Amino acid sequence: MLIQTAAAPQHVAPLSAVHREMDLPLVGLIPGQVMDVDAEEEIHGEGEPAQYAYRVVSGAVRSFTLLADGRRQIEAFHFPGDVFGIDVGTLHRVSAEAVCTTRLLVIKRSQIEALSQRDCSAARELWNWTAQALERARAQMLLLGRKTALEKVASFILAMARKDDGMLELPMCRSDIADYLGLTIETVSRTLSQLERCGAIALPASRRIELRSRGKLAALTE
Amino acid sequence: MLIQTAAAPQHVAPLSAVHREMDLPLVGLIPGQVMDVDAEEEIHGEGEPAQYAYRVVSGAVRSFTLLADGRRQIEAFHFPGDVFGIDVGTLHRVSAEAVCTTRLLVIKRSQIEALSQRDCSAARELWNWTAQALERARAQMLLLGRKTALEKVASFILAMARKDDGMLELPMCRSDIADYLGLTIETVSRTLSQLERCGAIALPASRRIELRSRGKLAALTE
DNA sequence: CGCAGGTTTGACTTCACTCAATCGGCGTGG
DNA sequence: CCACGCCGATTGAGTGAAGTCAAACCTGCG
């Protein structure tokens, strides 16, 4: 992390009130602090005390859980605007790492707690974030349990291309994609090549995907 | 459903205040109504307006989503005490059906809304239910994406045996288990037979599982 | 008793995994 | 500027875990 390497997030620079308000409606009532993390750096670990919650300003974050032998399931990627790390108990139930150089807003859990006890609309916003995460988790369960490799990769591309159109730049490597989709890197790679061959996408660079036919992709999504 | 067959849940009998309070701390402030549903009956459908939330009194419920071609992923089973059907938006994002004859407490969504705007602790409880569902969804994502058939079935048995010890009676059929674990009924059946052969469980009837060695099961869970 | 549904088992197939080799882009150093 | 090495990505060959299709088996019920 920027400036200091201590385990706990360090204050870097308070954001201007205007900027903060734009980025954090409601939860923005709490004075968040900016934190910069390098690529691959851990933000919080599974089982650690949940002292902070986070909002992505720029960059990307992966939340994941591990099995004893190291198999990894990435639960979600978090992009600018997304909130993560709000767990109900006192411990984080997943680990989170920066996928690339990432800037975060850090919010003290104790302040969230205090606010949500005073302000029902803040409590409601907390609920909203968790419900949104649940909604995504449900879609991911359907993908993991019932879709083929082709459908998984097509769904992934369409989900990542929500905002952009035509071209998208992936911040994560193949093994991140594989662990998100419940596949191996080889299968991800083969499937992307297959999508390129059939004209659905183009792959000008390994982390750049050009959408050639949204229709073909959508048809494969089932 | 009992008494009437209309799509909307029907009032049956108000529960005594004491009983209601025991079953529904906080959300119990709202006068819930009892509803009985038959096995296989739909409770709410995906995309329907979310007029009600539910709490299981007795029986079992499955929440699931479908792909266009009918492939099904069961997101969760709900047992006595569990709350389901609290979605944030105005529409249910999953379908719910009774696994067997089931008694539910039904709560009007509008009343939940109203209460959560007045009472921060009620809002917090709503958040809690959703967060609990998310927690389970995360564990299920790890299972679906990264566990083998043997690990999936062993995990399932251990999760179902949380309360009971030694013997457990499953309310659901093999295809429900298969759609919950991301497997086929044949694989579930074969895997159960395998667990019986290796002495981890006994299967005196198709829906009855006797735990013979929790250790062996746990070892297979990874 | 016989049917119907769910379940188990068997034989075979296939999709995705494993292992291994090769490719390609990028940064470093000669 | 080019050569080298590194690391992630791609591709290929072969394997294996789970799926498909199909038959047999319970078990409860009319």
Side-chain angles (χ1 to χ4, degrees):
Chain A
M1 297 165 191
L2 191 64
I3 297 187
Q4 303 215 19
T5 55
Q10 298 302 318
H11 297 176
V12 174
L15 223 52
S16 79
V18 169
H19 192 180
R20 198 193 307 142
E21 216 155 18
M22 266 174 44
D23 278 346
L24 277 181
L26 288 174
V27 170
L29 295 170
I30 300 168
Q33 300 293 334
V34 174
M35 180 173 89
D36 286 310
V37 286
D38 288 336
E40 310 305 309
E41 201 176 341
E42 177 169 302
I43 296 162
H44 63 72
E46 194 176 340
E48 277 180 12
Q51 274 192 288
Y52 302 93
Y54 308 85
R55 183 164 180 149
V56 182
V57 176
S58 65
V61 172
R62 54 175 176 257
S63 294
F64 61 92
T65 47
L66 296 171
L67 287 172
D69 63 359
R71 279 173 289 173
R72 180 178 68 157
Q73 179 62 46
I74 293 182
E75 178 227 335
F77 291 110
H78 309 290
F79 296 105
D82 291 346
V83 171
F84 68 95
I86 343 179
D87 289 292
V88 164
T90 56
L91 300 179
H92 283 299
R93 313 306 297 270
V94 294
S95 302
E97 294 171 351
V99 170
C100 52
T101 303
T102 296
R103 172 162 290 183
L104 301 169
L105 277 179
V106 187
I107 308 145
K108 269 224 173 78
R109 208 192 135 70
S110 56
Q111 292 186 288
I112 296 175
E113 290 289 334
L115 183 61
S116 76
Q117 269 163 27
R118 286 199 314 276
D119 180 355
C120 279
S121 67
R124 197 187 167 72
E125 200 197 328
L126 278 181
W127 178 36
N128 244 307
W129 286 118
T130 301
Q132 223 167 85
L134 178 59
E135 193 48 41
R136 289 184 200 177
R138 282 170 171 165
Q140 198 65 7
M141 286 167 69
L142 181 62
L143 178 146
L144 290 169
R146 287 298 177 220
K147 290 190 181 178
T148 65
L150 200 58
E151 291 166 351
K152 285 175 175 181
V153 173
S155 301
F156 173 73
I157 294 171
L158 284 174
M160 297 300 289
R162 246 341 96 143
K163 26 201 141 182
D164 310 285
D165 61 343
M167 188 74 99
L168 74 141
E169 193 78 33
L170 300 176
M172 74 288 285
C173 64
R174 292 290 184 268
S175 73
D176 284 342
I177 300 174
D179 286 351
Y180 182 57
L181 300 179
L183 299 170
T184 59
I185 52 170
E186 293 95 331
T187 299
V188 170
S189 185
R190 270 188 258 271
T191 307
L192 285 169
S193 300
Q194 189 184 343
L195 287 172
E196 186 173 33
R197 255 179 279 119
C198 83
I201 59 170
L203 293 163
S206 78
R207 295 195 180 189
R208 173 167 296 154
I209 299 179
E210 211 175 303
L211 299 195
R212 282 291 166 78
S213 166
R214 220 174 253 266
K216 274 184 189 166
L217 283 176
L220 292 170
T221 304
E222 252 296 343
Chain B
M1 298 166 192
L2 191 64
I3 298 187
Q4 304 215 16
T5 54
Q10 298 301 318
H11 296 176
V12 174
L15 222 52
S16 78
V18 169
H19 192 181
R20 198 193 306 143
E21 215 154 18
M22 267 176 40
D23 277 348
L24 277 181
L26 289 174
V27 170
L29 294 170
I30 299 167
Q33 300 294 333
V34 174
M35 179 172 91
D36 287 309
V37 287
D38 289 336
E40 310 306 307
E41 200 175 345
E42 176 169 301
I43 296 162
H44 62 72
E46 194 177 341
E48 277 180 10
Q51 275 193 287
Y52 302 94
Y54 308 86
R55 183 164 181 147
V56 181
V57 176
S58 65
V61 172
R62 55 175 175 258
S63 293
F64 61 93
T65 46
L66 296 171
L67 288 172
D69 63 358
R71 278 173 290 175
R72 180 179 69 158
Q73 179 62 46
I74 293 182
E75 179 227 336
F77 291 110
H78 308 288
F79 298 103
D82 291 345
V83 171
F84 68 96
I86 340 178
D87 290 292
V88 165
T90 55
L91 299 178
H92 284 298
R93 314 306 297 271
V94 294
S95 301
E97 295 172 352
V99 170
C100 53
T101 303
T102 296
R103 172 162 290 184
L104 301 170
L105 277 178
V106 187
I107 308 146
K108 270 224 173 78
R109 206 192 136 70
S110 57
Q111 293 185 286
I112 296 175
E113 291 288 336
L115 183 61
S116 77
Q117 269 162 26
R118 285 200 315 276
D119 181 355
C120 279
S121 67
R124 197 186 167 73
E125 199 198 329
L126 279 181
W127 178 37
N128 244 308
W129 286 117
T130 303
Q132 221 166 88
L134 177 59
E135 193 47 41
R136 288 184 200 177
R138 283 170 172 164
Q140 198 65 5
M141 285 167 70
L142 181 62
L143 178 146
L144 291 169
R146 287 297 177 221
K147 290 190 182 178
T148 64
L150 199 58
E151 291 166 352
K152 284 175 176 183
V153 173
S155 301
F156 174 73
I157 294 171
L158 284 174
M160 298 301 288
R162 229 15 72 156
K163 26 203 140 181
D164 310 284
D165 62 342
M167 187 73 98
L168 72 143
E169 193 79 32
L170 300 176
M172 74 289 284
C173 65
R174 292 289 183 267
S175 73
D176 283 342
I177 300 175
D179 286 350
Y180 182 57
L181 301 179
L183 299 170
T184 59
I185 52 169
E186 292 95 331
T187 299
V188 171
S189 184
R190 270 187 259 271
T191 306
L192 285 169
S193 302
Q194 188 183 342
L195 287 172
E196 186 174 34
R197 255 178 279 120
C198 83
I201 59 170
L203 294 163
S206 78
R207 295 195 181 190
R208 174 167 296 156
I209 299 180
E210 210 174 305
L211 299 195
R212 283 290 166 79
S213 165
R214 220 174 253 264
K216 275 184 188 166
L217 282 177
L220 293 171
T221 305
E222 255 295 342

